[in-house]
Amino acid sequence: MTVAGAVPLEFVDLVEVPFTVPGSRFVVQRGTGPHAGSLEVLHVRYEVPVAECLAVRLVPPGGGVAGAGPDAAQTAVRAMGGRLVADGLEIVVSGEELRVLTAAGSGWRAIGGPAPDVVPHRVPDSSRLVLTVTGATPATATDEAFRAGADAVVADWLALTPRVRPERAPMARQCWWVLGTNQIDLATPVRGAAARSAGPVRRAVVPSKRGYVALWQWDAYFIALGLRHTAPALAAEQLDIALTPGPDGQLPDVVHDTGVLASSADLPPADRARLLAAGAPTTGGEVPLTKPPLAAWAADRVLSTLPVDERAGWLRRWFPTVLRSQDWWFAASDPDGDGLPAYLHPYSSGLDDSPVFDHALPVTAPDLLAYLVVQDRILAGWCRELPDLCAHDHGLPARLLRRAARVRQGLTGLWDDDGRLFRPRAGTEPVPERTVVSLLGCFAGDATSEQLAGVLADVHDPARFGTPYPLPSVACDDTSFRREQMWRGPTWVNTGYLVAEGLERCGRPAAAAELRARILAGVEAAGGPVEYLDPGTGRRCPTATTSFGWSAALYLDLAVREEAGGQR
Ligand code: GLC
């Protein structure tokens, strides 16, 4: 069991950070509770509970599966390159094949689990167990060659780690590893066709192999921002998968193995049951599900690192789709017809359980209006850059800019002088809670001095959003604030990133830089790119998943730009 040539992965502890490799759905983690001491090999799938993804449980010598107890001695396991090494055991993973190699007489036992899409291949002496997906045959490579190949995949990926300041390098390496190993092969729907017909298999970087095994629309935008520095083709591929519209131009919330999530009718049964129990709005008719209109903003930045002709190629491919998706918001998500689109469902905001949605729907929200303003301006800019984009409609750029100006005015209409914040509206009623959604009003840029002063006062007030690890999703002094509950208090990297961008666009680069530095410090305090963290301590919240795509990607993007002195 040679370890030469394998890159050590010291941050993989199999508890907070499970082991996996690029292009694989195999995930290895430590067992818990009665299974402590064992190693679990999972084969993960979209919306399938972890217990059902168990392919095999590996039990160390002397360790009973049941009754080992939470205090069972933990076998020392080292992660390196494409494998895990323990006393008498090696697990090697390359893509969709996993080999368990045990030393003769080592005492490790393998117990099969319920994962339906994995086939075990055993050799008679049972010192070697090979797992493949159903229908695949094991590679003919010797174990030696298989091991070298597995290690090379990881080494090649890590060689692309973007350059950051030396003090950020360890976390940047971990984040880059996360982006690489969160890749899976995904059968994507055919563009423009009925959304459910199966199309090509593409490389999707998922939010997390524990909990989110598919491509989520706005996650893809953020993830692409991290990938763009040294893996621009993979970055563009993420946007290309996300830009899979339905017949009316709406972009889906999620692209997954068997289709898309684009409406409340597509929700997985467990999700529907949960929402039903909570009395959520999906109990009524069908509601479209999408994510915030940030496609043009992300695309513009991702394409900025590409040569001019490549950029133009992608722009020509994406422009019609992004334009239609933008028009969709005005046509299909503006029930009162006032020209200001609104969220019909919390999921479409990306802030699933924010207190903003504790009231009537639809919600006219400052973040949504700001995103729409920015997207219309960027679309108009693309028309100027490549006039053939609107060759059949010369008036288009001017119309887009007029719409942006009108929506920008609508955003100002949400400004509350007394509360000094952009106040969302639930139905016709003002939303009482003070949340990050209000701060996101600044994303549109050109805030009035009064608006900017209000946003900055909130961002800097330690009793509200100026916590040690900002920005909390709800102001700490708001009665709805819950320190550990998803969008009801914890800090998320993406919303802070967007607010920083807004501050910069409003002419406050120093405030933006300070916020960005604190966002970086938050990921470092959490020990890795977790899904969301405690705004006071920086620790991961107990229900937050780990190795989370956009936290990793935006950490990298901010660290690269910091190193480059704010450029890029
Ligand atoms: C959660 C978040 C949502 C995100 C999804 C996948 O539902 O609230 O914003 O897109 O997870 O990461």
Side-chain angles (χ1 to χ4, degrees):
M1 290 181 196
T2 157
V3 297
V7 190
L9 305 169
E10 60 293 336
F11 45 80
V12 175
D13 63 0
L14 305 182
V15 179
E16 289 278 310
V17 184
F19 175 76
T20 182
V21 303
S24 182
R25 292 177 188 232
F26 286 113
V27 173
V28 186
Q29 61 181 22
R30 286 194 189 275
T32 54
H35 300 296
S38 70
L39 296 177
E40 298 175 342
V41 176
L42 312 173
H43 195 258
V44 297
R45 283 180 302 151
Y46 175 62
E47 292 295 331
V48 176
V50 164
E52 290 168 39
C53 295
L54 182 71
V56 76
R57 182 181 299 286
L58 298 165
V59 185
V65 173
D71 299 328
Q74 297 285 341
T75 318
V77 185
R78 276 177 304 153
M80 58 193 75
R83 55 209 158 105
L84 289 171
V85 181
D87 194 20
L89 173 87
E90 187 177 15
I91 301 172
V92 191
V93 194
S94 183
E96 286 291 61
E97 180 168 332
L98 180 144
R99 296 189 183 182
V100 180
L101 310 171
T102 45
S106 68
W108 281 90
R109 285 185 299 137
I111 300 168
D117 49 348
V118 175
V119 186
H121 309 262
R122 266 177 201 280
V123 294
D125 71 356
S126 84
S127 67
R128 194 166 169 279
L129 169 68
V130 178
L131 303 180
T132 66
V133 290
T134 312
T137 44
T140 52
T142 62
D143 289 338
E144 200 62 31
F146 187 76
R147 182 186 281 134
D151 285 345
V153 169
V154 178
D156 289 351
W157 176 260
L158 286 177
L160 295 174
T161 307
R163 206 182 126 92
V164 299
R165 288 185 185 170
E167 66 272 24
R168 307 269 190 222
M171 184 52 70
R173 185 167 165 274
Q174 180 174 345
C175 287
W176 188 251
W177 177 85
V178 165
L179 288 185
T181 58
N182 277 10
Q183 273 177 72
I184 58 165
D185 284 349
L186 186 70
T188 55
V190 175
R191 284 165 64 89
R196 284 179 190 291
S197 46
V201 172
R202 322 258 324 249
R203 295 175 301 168
V205 179
V206 303
S208 170
K209 282 183 180 168
R210 284 199 297 197
Y212 302 104
V213 190
L215 182 129
W216 265 258
Q217 190 195 143
W218 81 330
D219 296 65
Y221 301 154
F222 298 122
I223 286 170
L225 291 180
L227 290 171
R228 72 191 168 117
H229 298 288
T230 54
L234 187 58
E237 197 167 355
Q238 303 317 299
L239 299 189
D240 204 51
I241 300 171
L243 294 175
T244 303
D248 60 355
Q250 183 209 326
L251 294 176
D253 183 350
V254 184
V255 178
H256 56 79
D257 289 316
T258 52
V260 296
L261 175 69
S263 137
S264 51
D266 302 330
L267 283 169
D271 225 345
R272 286 176 73 84
R274 241 191 339 267
L275 287 172
L276 228 78
T282 45
T283 49
E286 236 179 76
V287 186
L289 299 178
T290 183
K291 279 287 186 271
L294 286 163
W297 168 77
D300 202 55
R301 186 159 287 176
V302 164
L303 298 179
S304 70
T305 42
L306 292 184
V308 177
D309 54 333
E310 264 183 65
R311 172 178 165 92
W314 285 115
L315 282 184
R316 291 199 172 91
R317 179 171 163 89
W318 291 340
F319 177 81
T321 304
V322 179
L323 177 62
R324 284 190 71 214
S325 72
Q326 173 85 347
D327 288 343
W328 174 87
W329 281 95
F330 291 89
S333 202
D334 176 17
D336 63 4
D338 66 352
L340 300 179
Y343 290 127
L344 305 182
H345 192 285
Y347 284 11
S348 296
S349 77
L351 275 59
D352 307 7
D353 65 341
S354 167
V356 165
F357 301 106
D358 287 357
H359 315 279
L361 285 162
V363 173
T364 308
D367 58 335
L368 176 57
L369 299 189
Y371 302 149
L372 289 168
V373 168
V374 169
Q375 181 142 285
D376 264 340
R377 287 180 184 154
I378 294 175
L379 285 167
W382 287 352
C383 291
R384 279 194 301 271
E385 182 181 339
L386 291 177
D388 58 285
L389 290 180
C390 59
H392 301 294
D393 182 1
H394 293 295
L396 179 64
R399 279 205 311 283
L400 295 173
L401 291 178
R402 275 201 301 278
R403 184 164 69 181
R406 189 172 51 67
V407 176
R408 181 65 192 80
Q409 256 186 337
L411 178 58
T412 285
L414 294 183
W415 182 256
D416 171 351
D417 269 331
D418 299 332
R420 300 182 74 209
L421 82 169
F422 290 105
R423 196 176 283 290
R425 225 172 37 219
T428 52
E429 294 301 312
V431 168
E433 291 85 2
R434 189 176 293 265
T435 73
V436 73
V437 165
S438 291
L439 303 181
L440 284 163
C442 78
F443 184 72
D446 52 51
T448 64
S449 52
E450 204 192 344
Q451 291 166 358
L452 190 53
V455 169
L456 280 171
D458 268 4
V459 166
H460 291 138
D461 184 348
R464 289 190 170 158
F465 296 94
T467 58
Y469 301 100
L471 290 168
S473 39
V474 173
C476 299
D477 63 356
D478 196 280
T479 52
S480 66
F481 175 79
R482 300 286 175 275
R483 183 172 291 279
E484 295 186 333
Q485 198 184 330
M486 269 192 102
W487 293 101
R488 302 184 80 91
T491 288
W492 292 68
V493 172
N494 66 331
T495 39
Y497 180 101
L498 293 171
V499 170
E501 170 117 1
L503 292 176
E504 181 157 357
R505 206 174 283 155
C506 291
R508 293 305 177 98
E514 192 198 325
L515 178 52
R516 288 175 179 141
R518 284 174 177 245
I519 293 171
L520 289 166
V523 175
E524 287 159 9
V530 302
E531 189 182 17
Y532 47 91
L533 47 102
D534 185 312
T537 63
R539 274 200 288 272
R540 176 175 76 84
C541 296
T543 46
T545 193
T546 59
S547 296
F548 190 66
W550 83 44
S551 301
L554 297 178
Y555 179 91
L556 283 159
D557 188 58
L558 291 181
V560 168
R561 287 160 66 190
E562 173 189 62
E563 199 268 344
Q567 301 305 302
R568 290 187 247 188

